[in-house]
Amino acid sequence: MKSFTVDEITQIVGGMLTKVASPEINRIAPPLLSDEHTLALALGEEEIANLAKSKAKAALVPLGVQIDGFTTIEVERPRLAMMKLLNLFYVPPYVNKDVHPTAVVDPSAKLGANVCIGPNVVIGANTEIGDNTKILANTYIGGGVKIGTNCFFHPNVNIGDRVQIGNDVILNHGVSLGADGFSFVTENPNNIETARQDGKIDKDNSDQVIFKIPSIGSVVIGNNVEIGANSTIDRGTIENTTIGDNTKIDDLVMIGHNCKVGKGCLIVSQVGIAGSCVIGDRVVIAGQAGLADHIEIGADTIITAKAGVTKSFPEKSIIVGIPAVPRKEFIKQLKTMRDAQDIFAKFRKYEPLLKEFEENLTK
């Protein structure tokens, strides 16, 4: 078990120590789940109040917070300090050494130094895997794939042919990279095309045949990218689908064919991005937001949860609602609806007088 003094922890997180006791710290936890060898994480008002009920003797607190009877480590950015502590106590998943006997590695594949391949992994022809990359059980990697150094792939990842992955990439359980895009065409204009052009559907398409458009592009993932469990990124139709450096993608995210996602983006769970979207750098897309195809989102934009984005927006927008509009416009719409309720209430109040007035006019 790892154990640290409060002085060592203070140095690691770059905090300010007020020492009352000097416990050895072997775990971190919220105050109510802490004992005397736990560093209690009191990062907010509720947790700070819970220290009075805690068995802990030491706590990590925001700058300026001191608790009588407690050893405290004050930090300017508590969440950043918590990240450093979690890395300190983190126990990584078990990884077997070298290539597991049940793995199937094509003879033409090139494995770098210290590469670890888990049970039942399949690696296709002419694939290259960089130094220190770890690939856990039941992962499939197609042919002609290029994977950088220091990557970590959790179990059951699927990577299609010719996908390119940078350095320091983490793929969580069940990630799919490089499946064919959802791209089809009909011989004659279909209902979607008719509705877009004419605003109505009046043709008989009962004999319509849907033809699949194959995807000959691939997927390119930048450096220091993390992709959450069961997320999918489809290959491009002709060009590559691309994800920029330092972008972080949550679980259950769908990114369609031909999309270009910038650097440093945060894409939260259950987001759906339709094909051929261009997402600028440092864009945040909150949970369950949906983006229509062929739109552009400018850099440093925030798309709030459940937003339905049907058009392009410039950089530094804050986008809200269904259909999505700029935040200021959304607030204006809410105010208009509230005002409309007041107007309607007044109308109901004076409706009898209005009727009486109208009756007098007809006499």
Side-chain angles (χ1 to χ4, degrees):
M1 179 181 291
K2 297 178 180 179
S3 181
F4 303 90
T5 66
V6 291
D7 298 273
E8 289 172 330
I9 290 177
T10 300
Q11 186 173 4
I12 289 167
V13 301
M16 185 169 64
L17 177 64
T18 300
K19 188 188 294 186
V20 175
S22 300
E24 286 288 320
I25 302 299
N26 55 35
R27 60 190 290 261
I28 55 176
L32 295 182
L33 300 178
S34 298
D35 59 25
E36 61 182 8
H37 294 295
T38 302
L39 180 67
L41 301 181
L43 309 185
E45 292 182 3
E46 183 177 353
E47 289 87 358
I48 292 170
N50 285 338
L51 286 174
K53 308 171 190 175
S54 178
K55 297 179 181 178
K57 294 183 177 180
L60 182 77
V61 297
L63 196 65
V65 174
Q66 294 186 1
I67 309 296
D68 290 341
F70 266 88
T71 292
T72 57
I73 302 173
E74 300 173 50
V75 290
E76 186 173 0
R77 288 181 58 79
R79 190 170 176 82
L80 182 64
M82 182 182 71
M83 177 274 294
K84 295 177 181 179
L85 290 174
L86 288 172
N87 276 296
L88 195 64
F89 288 97
Y90 178 70
V91 178
Y94 171 77
V95 180
N96 58 275
K97 293 183 179 180
D98 303 321
V99 178
H100 193 274
T102 62
V104 179
V105 181
D106 190 276
S108 63
K110 297 179 181 179
L111 307 185
N114 197 33
V115 167
C116 298
I117 307 295
N120 302 316
V121 170
V122 175
I123 298 176
N126 301 309
T127 285
E128 300 177 12
I129 301 176
D131 297 348
N132 304 310
T133 287
K134 311 290 189 286
I135 300 172
L136 273 58
N138 302 315
T139 290
Y140 173 85
I141 300 174
V145 174
K146 292 185 178 180
I147 299 170
T149 60
N150 302 307
C151 294
F152 195 101
F153 298 173
H154 289 265
N156 298 305
V157 167
N158 286 278
I159 301 174
D161 294 345
R162 306 184 313 282
V163 169
Q164 299 178 42
I165 299 173
N167 303 322
D168 303 294
V169 171
I170 298 173
L171 303 181
N172 285 284
H173 306 71
V175 165
S176 172
L177 302 180
D180 268 0
F182 189 75
S183 190
F184 301 89
V185 68
T186 54
E187 189 168 353
N188 298 308
N190 59 30
N191 288 342
I192 297 173
E193 294 171 280
T194 301
R196 282 178 173 173
Q197 181 175 335
D198 302 332
K200 60 181 180 179
I201 302 170
D202 56 8
K203 293 183 179 179
D204 179 9
N205 287 322
S206 56
D207 296 329
Q208 175 178 280
V209 177
I210 301 175
F211 298 99
K212 178 180 175 61
I213 298 175
S215 302
I216 63 173
S218 193
V219 174
V220 176
I221 306 294
N223 299 320
N224 196 31
V225 170
E226 180 164 356
I227 302 175
N230 295 315
S231 288
T232 62
I233 303 175
D234 288 349
R235 65 176 59 249
T237 307
I238 299 174
E239 300 180 48
N240 294 325
T241 303
T242 61
I243 308 295
D245 295 349
N246 301 308
T247 284
K248 313 300 180 185
I249 299 171
D250 198 1
D251 300 345
L252 298 170
V253 169
M254 167 63 205
I255 298 178
H257 59 281
N258 305 329
C259 286
K260 311 293 183 187
V261 178
K263 298 178 181 180
C265 294
L266 293 172
I267 303 177
V268 185
S269 178
Q270 299 183 22
V271 163
I273 303 177
S276 301
C277 287
V278 178
I279 311 297
D281 296 340
R282 299 172 302 280
V283 169
V284 176
I285 308 178
Q288 297 188 335
L291 279 66
D293 58 322
H294 292 86
I295 62 175
E296 297 188 18
I297 304 298
D300 299 297
T301 287
I302 297 175
I303 300 175
T304 59
K306 294 181 180 284
V309 186
T310 60
K311 63 180 183 179
S312 298
F313 285 87
E315 65 178 20
K316 299 182 180 178
S317 298
I318 301 176
I319 305 170
V320 185
I322 305 173
V325 294
R327 182 174 178 271
K328 288 183 178 179
E329 184 176 337
F330 183 77
I331 293 172
K332 184 179 179 180
Q333 290 175 356
L334 291 179
K335 186 177 183 302
T336 300
M337 286 189 288
R338 286 197 298 267
D339 292 344
Q341 289 178 334
D342 293 338
I343 293 170
F344 183 72
K346 289 177 181 178
F347 172 78
R348 293 298 297 269
K349 179 180 178 180
Y350 295 109
E351 187 177 15
L353 295 175
L354 179 60
K355 287 183 178 180
E356 183 181 347
F357 177 75
E358 290 175 340
E359 290 172 357
N360 290 332
L361 286 177
T362 57
K363 290 180 180 178

